[in-house]
Amino acid sequence: TVDTVTRPGAIVSGKVTFSDGQRGTWYLDQMGRLGIGADTPGYKPTQADLANFQAQLDAELAKAGF
């Protein structure tokens, strides 16, 4: 999802749920770098989950005009 109120220091932010049910937050900073933080310390999503997330994020950001 894309947050309606962007977190400080980001140009856009939101939440993500990966295929295994793990959740986290994401943001794009002022330099256009993507950051992902998992709710569970040490969790790392699979490469397939990351690729799927990025594809869905691109679609959501395009709808929002980014």
Side-chain angles (χ1 to χ4, degrees):
T1 61
V2 177
D3 291 337
T4 54
V5 177
T6 303
R7 71 187 258 181
I11 57 172
V12 63
S13 61
K15 295 180 181 35
V16 58
T17 302
F18 295 104
S19 65
D20 59 4
Q22 292 287 330
R23 291 191 247 175
T25 57
W26 62 268
Y27 65 91
L28 285 174
D29 70 10
Q30 302 294 332
M31 301 291 289
R33 295 175 293 202
L34 176 62
I36 300 173
D39 290 351
T40 303
Y43 173 75
K44 300 242 190 244
T46 65
Q47 289 297 321
D49 270 355
L50 287 174
N52 186 35
F53 164 71
Q54 288 181 316
Q56 289 183 9
L57 179 59
D58 284 345
E60 288 298 315
L61 293 179
K63 282 195 268 184
F66 286 95

